[in-house]
Amino acid sequence: MSNPFSFGSVVKEERFCNRVNELKELKQDILNNQNVLIYAPRRFGKTSLVLKAVEELKEEHKDFRFVYIDLMTITDKKEFINKYFNAIAKSLESSFEKTIETLKAFLRLKPIIKASISDTGNMVFSLDFSRSESDNVLDDILNTPTKYGEKYKVCIVFDEFQEIENIKGLENKLRSIIQNHSNVSYVFLGSKKSIINAMFSDTKRPFYKSVKHFTLSPISNEEWKKCILKSFETTSKKIDENIIDNILKITKGFPYYTQQLCYEIWELSEKEVNEEIFNIALNKLLKQEREYFIAIWDNLTQNQKKALKIVLMTNGDNIYGDERSRSLISSASLQTAIKKLIEKDILDKKDRYYFQDPLFEYWLRKERA
């Protein structure tokens, strides 16, 4: 029997927990051609949510098409063009031959279209064009979705959208073109809060006030309990609710870590989960993430490390007024360190300061103890 929990990749079907209301709202926004921004930390499940939404829409509407492109690794304009072109070529038609025929009709400059096989055995499409042609080719590729929008309901999903900030002129060009695409919906996903906020909230930036800010809240503990209990029960295993409470106390409902810890617990248990199995699984999880957490810690300044210790001591509340914090660092230095930690997406603030990564917080507490 296969493990009912999944992490590290897009979570699908029966392994997807809740998000019923968010799915319904997002699907309606896409059908309404409403452009949407979804911010959430990495590993929070935003990609799984969006891909589930567009896959369901594709099943429900015969004329619905979507293009998904992950921008995490792009480094220049040509790479963006080819990655976007490849995603379009593999998503919007029923066959590669039809895709090439249609795209050739859309492209004004008629660049050479190449097809090759990647190291993973997948077909990859790319364009061969000169440097002087790049701006016109970019215009053509960016306008391609709206051409398809004349016969299909089209949605474009840009994952890790903040990465376009590193490519000169792309942010302005993209906004100037897609603002005229009334027959296409765009979903922008971002994981770096400080950059995403600047891109969509700064009055001087091209994407200012151009999207609906879609809120992705944590999955409630009650919903997690239902999902976890069901997953164990349907695979003929038993887990006590007290152990689930311990899981959620550590992961704080963070989807990646909740799935990961449950995955390890399920693997270790035969019929029933006990405290020993829980502790072994937790230690295994911490061991898996240890090098990543050490790398984060080692890249901090001494003042930033002190600031994190203060957030731990105070639980993020009244950090400047606490006597223990004043004995470690000046208020001015603490303020500077906190600002940098927020920019690095290590901390965030609502009513109080908190760690964006709950397992990193748990690991730090354990290391300090």
Side-chain angles (χ1 to χ4, degrees):
M1 190 173 293
S2 63
N3 196 312
F5 300 98
S6 177
F7 65 97
S9 59
V10 175
V11 178
K12 296 181 178 180
E13 302 306 326
E14 70 276 0
R15 299 183 181 187
F16 194 89
C17 182
N18 194 252
R19 299 291 191 202
V20 175
N21 293 332
E22 290 97 329
L23 272 172
K24 182 179 179 181
E25 181 181 351
L26 180 58
K27 286 165 66 175
Q28 193 57 52
D29 286 338
I30 291 171
L31 290 175
N32 291 338
N33 290 331
Q34 173 64 56
N35 295 341
V36 172
L37 168 66
I38 302 178
Y39 160 77
R42 290 183 63 242
R43 302 175 167 186
F44 201 74
K46 57 187 178 297
T47 302
S48 294
L49 172 73
V50 173
L51 289 181
K52 183 173 176 61
V54 291
E55 290 285 3
E56 286 187 3
L57 286 171
K58 191 174 180 180
E59 290 180 6
E60 296 164 2
H61 303 272
K62 292 182 179 180
D63 64 342
F64 181 82
R65 300 288 187 277
F66 74 89
V67 176
Y68 170 82
I69 174 171
D70 186 347
L71 303 177
M72 175 58 79
T73 60
I74 62 166
T75 57
D76 56 37
K77 187 191 296 182
K78 185 170 185 178
E79 192 173 349
F80 172 84
I81 290 171
N82 278 320
K83 197 159 189 178
Y84 197 9
F85 175 76
N86 179 59
I88 289 172
K90 293 163 74 171
S91 303
L92 295 182
E93 291 287 4
S94 57
S95 69
F96 292 150
E97 293 78 10
K98 179 64 175 175
T99 297
I100 300 305
E101 178 186 333
T102 305
L103 289 174
K104 280 183 176 179
F106 288 164
L107 302 176
R108 292 171 299 169
L109 290 177
K110 313 303 178 192
I112 298 172
I113 298 176
K114 295 182 176 181
S116 59
I117 303 297
S118 69
D119 294 338
T120 56
N122 296 318
M123 183 75 76
V124 177
F125 293 95
S126 61
L127 298 172
D128 189 13
F129 52 91
S130 67
R131 188 172 182 178
S132 62
E133 294 174 321
S134 64
D135 285 341
N136 287 329
V137 173
L138 176 61
D139 283 4
D140 282 353
I141 297 304
L142 291 178
N143 276 312
T144 297
T146 197
K147 299 288 186 180
Y148 275 99
E150 295 171 4
K151 61 176 181 176
Y152 297 132
K153 190 70 128 175
V154 178
C155 175
I156 309 297
V157 181
F158 286 120
D159 207 346
E160 300 297 349
F161 184 67
Q162 71 274 343
E163 299 304 314
I164 72 163
E165 186 188 57
N166 300 317
I167 301 176
K168 185 178 179 181
L170 184 55
E171 187 179 347
N172 284 294
K173 172 63 73 174
L174 187 56
R175 170 59 178 154
S176 68
I177 289 180
I178 70 173
Q179 66 181 345
N180 299 311
H181 293 179
S182 58
N183 60 349
V184 179
S185 63
Y186 288 87
V187 178
F188 306 97
L189 306 181
S191 62
K192 297 179 181 177
K193 188 175 183 179
S194 57
I195 300 176
I196 285 293
N197 274 347
M199 292 178 76
F200 289 90
S201 300
D202 187 336
T203 57
K204 298 178 182 178
R205 301 288 285 267
F207 278 93
Y208 172 70
K209 296 248 181 229
S210 63
V211 295
K212 170 184 174 179
H213 291 253
F214 193 95
T215 302
L216 194 58
S217 302
I219 298 171
S220 71
N221 283 0
E222 288 306 310
E223 290 298 334
W224 269 122
K225 282 185 181 181
K226 292 177 186 177
C227 291
I228 294 170
L229 283 169
K230 182 180 178 182
S231 294
F232 274 89
E233 287 173 358
T234 54
T235 53
S236 302
K237 295 188 181 185
K238 184 177 179 182
I239 184 170
D240 190 89
E241 286 197 30
N242 290 331
I243 292 179
I244 298 178
D245 288 336
N246 290 337
I247 292 170
L248 297 175
K249 185 177 180 180
I250 292 168
T251 68
K252 298 183 179 178
F254 203 91
Y256 181 94
Y257 292 130
T258 304
Q259 292 268 6
Q260 188 178 11
L261 185 49
C262 288
Y263 178 96
E264 298 297 349
I265 290 171
W266 191 94
E267 285 292 319
L268 289 167
S269 60
E270 291 186 7
K271 292 292 183 181
E272 186 171 354
V273 181
N274 56 37
E275 285 291 336
E276 182 182 5
I277 289 173
F278 168 78
N279 289 325
I280 293 172
L282 176 57
N283 288 330
K284 186 176 181 181
L285 174 56
L286 291 172
K287 186 177 181 180
Q288 291 170 355
E289 299 294 332
R290 187 172 185 273
E291 287 189 14
Y292 171 62
F293 292 155
I294 288 175
I296 294 175
W297 182 256
D298 287 346
N299 283 322
L300 301 177
T301 66
Q302 289 303 311
N303 280 347
Q304 288 165 10
K305 291 175 181 178
K306 289 179 181 179
L308 289 185
K309 289 180 180 180
I310 290 168
V311 172
L312 290 176
M313 286 190 302
T314 62
N315 200 31
D317 190 31
N318 191 30
I319 63 173
Y320 298 104
D322 190 274
E323 290 186 11
R324 293 168 295 178
S325 65
R326 287 197 292 266
S327 67
L328 284 174
I329 187 174
S330 69
S331 293
S333 296
L334 177 57
Q335 190 171 13
T336 300
I338 291 291
K339 181 180 178 182
K340 288 295 182 182
L341 289 166
I342 291 174
E343 289 176 0
K344 291 181 176 183
D345 293 311
I346 294 174
L347 293 181
D348 203 352
K349 184 182 180 182
K350 288 182 181 176
D351 299 326
R352 59 180 181 81
Y353 293 99
Y354 65 94
F355 284 77
Q356 287 203 29
D357 187 322
L359 196 66
F360 179 55
E361 177 186 2
Y362 181 84
W363 176 80
L364 266 186
R365 289 189 185 278
K366 193 174 182 191
E367 289 293 306
R368 288 187 66 246

